[in-house]
Amino acid sequence: MSLQVDKNLLDALIDTETLYQEAPCGYVSLLPDGTIIKLNNTLLTWLNYTTKSLLYKKKFSDLLSKGGKVHFEMFFKPMITVRGHIKELSYEILKKDGSVLPVLLSAKAMKDALGSVMAINMAVYDITDRKSYEVELLKAKKTAEDEKRTFQFLADLIPEMIWTANADGDIDYVNQRFVQYFNLPERNFNLSSVASRIFKEDRKKFLNAWRESIRAGTDLHIEIRLDNYQGNSEWHLIKAVPYINQDGLVTKWFGSCISTEEHIMALKAKDDFISIASHELKTPITSLKGTLQLMDKIKNNHPDPLLHKMIDRANRNVNKTISLIDDLLNVSRINEGQLYLNKKRSVIFDLINDCCSHIKYETGYDILIEGDSSIEADIDEGRIEQVIINFINNAIKYAPESKLIEVGYEKNGQHVKIEVTDKGPGISPEKLFHLFERYYQVKNNSSGNAGLGLGLYICAEIIKKHNGKIGVKSELGKGSTFWFTLPANM
């Protein structure tokens, strides 16, 4: 009995005529010649017609636009007769007021035992919103294409080489300057063909750096030599930045190749001059230093205090000059690949403490050392002392009001990290990137003479020789932290 009740309930719920009439899509049935013999209220409402005005009085093709009528007679009817069904044909139906309703039609033929078409049932789907989306999409596509053409036009005017790559790093666009520099027959080429134009000794370095940027999604910034179409090698700065979408995924790379040949050649000429000059100055300065040391020993026997001051001042100035010459000689050794290390196992605390003791005595600054006294590393003590002293002297020079300088160190995995922190005015973000470049000087009104701009460059090369990393973090008004890492003993 309960099963009978359930069936009655279902029969009451399922009103097929209501489902047909009020369906979210239109339904219409046609005779083989296209005469309308049945349609639902949904379609009538869309078209604003009455049943009487359409049933057996109009053919479906009468409701179509001129092009639609031709297509319906020449394509729809033959296909439904042969295939018996049709899916999603696009038409425009004219409403009673003459306006257009874009629709998709799907149809199925009812055939007799002999295969002749008796009637055609069609489902009609309103695609007005879809058409609007398509129009907006076409507009957006046209706008994007216009912007792309504008970008390419501007890129072709730029004297530097401009290029883009997809998320995987495959180059998909280069500007006209790029084509001209390499004398390329076309703009479509892959990374391997571009890599062949990289100077052989720089190729592996670039490919490794590029792969790492793609893997990590970080900026590429590397200086390499490129071979132009004449086979001449010229220095270029290669930059690439990732475009990250709203989901945090890299979808594009934008890059440039800027010639630094003149800059590199100017630096080389400067280095050559400095190398020669520093070697020439070394001998007379050493001789002068010896003379002053002798005078320093006999000054106590002379009663004139002015002489004492003059000898002390001369010693300080000679020491500064020797320090500058040593920097220049170090740069010369670095450029010639002759910066050698004499490594031995060293206790980091003892090394730092030795560095800081005389600085505290001479300057009066309070230097706080924090770290585990058992940490050791294989290092060239003299070179690492040079780095730490440079960091501390910079803190004193550029943050003179920060009387407390913190030197911290810790072991992190397979590396030891050493930091020197001051509470000075900080360094502006645009300068941070250049601090470790050769001859770069940070101008500071309180620091007086800024020096040669070689100290941090030499530090970076020393740490690189130790297979470590070097860097700085700074916030204006709060201070700066210079740091470097060293491989730790396991």
Side-chain angles (χ1 to χ4, degrees):
M1 184 67 181
S2 61
L3 291 175
Q4 185 64 39
V5 172
D6 290 342
K7 186 177 184 304
N8 291 338
L9 179 60
L10 289 174
D11 290 342
L13 289 173
I14 302 173
D15 184 347
T16 55
E17 182 61 23
T18 301
L19 289 175
Y20 174 82
Q21 293 295 342
E22 306 302 331
C25 62
Y27 289 118
V28 58
S29 298
L30 314 175
L31 292 175
D33 66 352
T35 300
I36 299 172
I37 57 174
K38 187 177 182 180
L39 73 168
N40 68 348
N41 289 335
T42 301
L43 186 56
L44 287 170
T45 301
W46 288 350
L47 303 179
N48 201 24
Y49 276 107
T50 61
T51 304
K52 290 181 180 181
S53 62
L54 295 179
L55 291 185
Y56 298 101
K57 293 182 179 178
K58 286 187 178 291
K59 293 183 177 182
F60 185 75
S61 58
D62 295 334
L63 302 177
L64 300 176
S65 61
K66 186 175 181 181
K69 289 179 182 179
V70 175
H71 188 275
F72 189 81
E73 296 294 334
M74 301 296 293
F75 182 82
F76 181 92
K77 283 186 176 181
M79 180 177 284
I80 198 70
T81 300
V82 175
R83 296 178 58 183
H85 63 87
I86 288 176
K87 284 189 177 181
E88 295 188 348
L89 286 179
S90 178
Y91 286 98
E92 290 183 342
I93 300 178
L94 300 177
K95 298 179 183 180
K96 187 177 180 180
D97 62 4
S99 59
V100 172
L101 175 70
V103 298
L104 285 180
L105 298 181
S106 291
K108 186 173 182 62
M110 293 180 60
K111 296 184 178 181
D112 59 18
L114 299 176
S116 299
V117 176
M118 298 170 57
I120 302 169
N121 290 322
M122 294 196 304
V124 183
Y125 303 94
D126 181 0
I127 58 170
T128 302
D129 290 340
R130 175 173 164 176
K131 284 291 184 182
S132 298
Y133 295 148
E134 288 177 351
V135 170
E136 292 300 320
L137 185 62
L138 287 173
K139 286 182 180 178
K141 185 178 180 181
K142 183 179 182 302
T143 300
E145 288 175 348
D146 289 342
E147 290 178 351
K148 181 179 179 181
R149 283 193 293 270
T150 301
F151 166 77
Q152 292 180 352
F153 176 75
L154 293 175
D156 285 341
L157 292 178
I158 295 174
E160 285 80 26
M161 290 183 277
I162 303 295
W163 53 276
T164 64
N166 61 23
D168 295 326
D170 297 323
I171 295 177
D172 52 22
Y173 167 78
V174 295
N175 69 343
Q176 189 61 35
R177 170 61 180 153
F178 201 108
V179 174
Q180 292 171 349
Y181 185 84
F182 294 116
N183 194 27
L184 299 173
E186 54 183 340
R187 298 194 186 198
N188 297 322
F189 52 90
N190 54 35
L191 179 59
S192 59
S193 64
V194 177
S196 66
R197 302 298 184 96
I198 299 173
F199 190 67
K200 187 176 180 180
E201 295 179 8
D202 298 337
R203 197 172 300 160
K204 184 177 180 181
K205 178 177 71 172
F206 169 77
L207 292 175
N208 288 340
W210 180 224
R211 290 191 190 101
E212 178 60 23
S213 290
I214 295 170
R215 185 196 65 78
T218 53
D219 293 1
L220 174 71
H221 188 279
I222 188 171
E223 206 159 24
I224 60 173
R225 286 161 289 186
L226 299 176
D227 295 336
N228 62 19
Y229 70 96
Q230 295 176 325
N232 298 324
S233 298
E234 297 178 337
W235 284 97
H236 285 78
L237 176 62
I238 312 298
K239 291 183 177 181
V241 294
Y243 176 79
I244 301 174
N245 65 13
Q246 293 179 342
D247 298 325
L249 300 175
V250 175
T251 59
K252 197 79 171 174
W253 289 87
F254 293 87
S256 64
C257 306
I258 303 172
S259 176
T260 56
E261 180 71 11
E262 291 186 7
H263 175 67
I264 294 293
M265 291 300 101
L267 280 180
K268 186 177 184 305
K270 186 175 183 180
D271 289 340
D272 290 343
F273 170 77
I274 286 174
S275 177
I276 295 170
S278 56
H279 279 90
E280 292 295 325
L281 287 171
K282 189 70 175 176
T283 300
I285 290 295
T286 301
S287 177
L288 179 59
K289 176 67 175 177
T291 302
L292 286 171
Q293 288 175 340
L294 180 61
M295 294 177 65
D296 195 50
K297 290 180 180 179
I298 64 175
K299 71 179 181 182
N300 293 330
N301 298 325
H302 199 287
D304 189 352
L306 179 60
L307 179 64
H308 292 201
K309 290 181 180 179
M310 293 176 64
I311 292 175
D312 290 340
R313 184 180 300 171
N315 268 313
R316 285 196 299 272
N317 288 330
V318 166
N319 288 334
K320 287 181 181 179
T321 304
I322 290 174
S323 177
L324 291 175
I325 292 174
D326 286 341
D327 281 348
L328 296 174
L329 290 173
N330 279 327
V331 170
S332 179
R333 295 187 190 104
I334 290 169
N335 291 339
E336 295 171 3
Q338 296 179 354
L339 184 66
Y340 302 117
L341 302 181
N342 183 20
K343 290 185 179 181
K344 68 175 184 177
R345 178 169 292 188
S346 304
V347 178
I348 299 300
F349 174 80
D350 293 342
L351 175 74
I352 296 174
N353 191 51
D354 289 344
C355 291
C356 297
S357 296
H358 76 278
I359 297 178
K360 288 192 290 186
Y361 175 76
E362 292 179 359
T363 64
Y365 278 75
D366 188 11
I367 302 177
L368 178 64
I369 304 173
E370 293 184 322
D372 184 348
S373 60
S374 66
I375 295 176
E376 297 180 345
D378 285 334
I379 58 175
D380 183 320
E381 287 189 355
R383 294 297 184 184
I384 297 302
E385 281 184 3
Q386 186 178 347
V387 176
I388 296 172
I389 291 171
N390 186 283
F391 282 4
I392 295 174
N393 285 338
N394 278 346
I396 294 171
K397 181 190 295 184
Y398 293 102
E401 301 301 321
S402 176
K403 294 300 180 181
L404 175 63
I405 298 172
E406 299 174 7
V407 182
Y409 65 97
E410 62 178 356
K411 186 175 180 181
N412 186 4
Q414 298 182 359
H415 291 84
V416 176
K417 186 174 186 180
I418 301 174
E419 298 181 330
V420 176
T421 302
D422 64 65
K423 304 298 181 184
I427 305 168
S428 56
E430 68 273 9
K431 295 178 180 178
L432 292 178
F433 187 78
H434 302 286
L435 287 179
F436 298 97
E437 293 178 0
R438 191 171 19 162
Y439 303 121
Y440 183 78
Q441 300 175 356
V442 177
K443 294 182 180 179
N444 188 305
N445 293 333
S446 64
S447 65
N449 189 354
L452 297 173
L454 293 174
L456 290 177
Y457 167 73
I458 294 170
C459 289
E461 293 299 321
I462 290 172
I463 299 305
K464 187 187 298 183
K465 272 283 189 180
H466 279 83
N467 296 318
K469 295 183 178 180
I470 193 168
V472 58
K473 51 186 178 181
S474 183
E475 188 173 349
L476 289 175
K478 294 187 176 181
S480 304
T481 297
F482 283 80
W483 59 267
F484 62 89
T485 63
L486 299 167
N489 289 321
M490 301 302 293

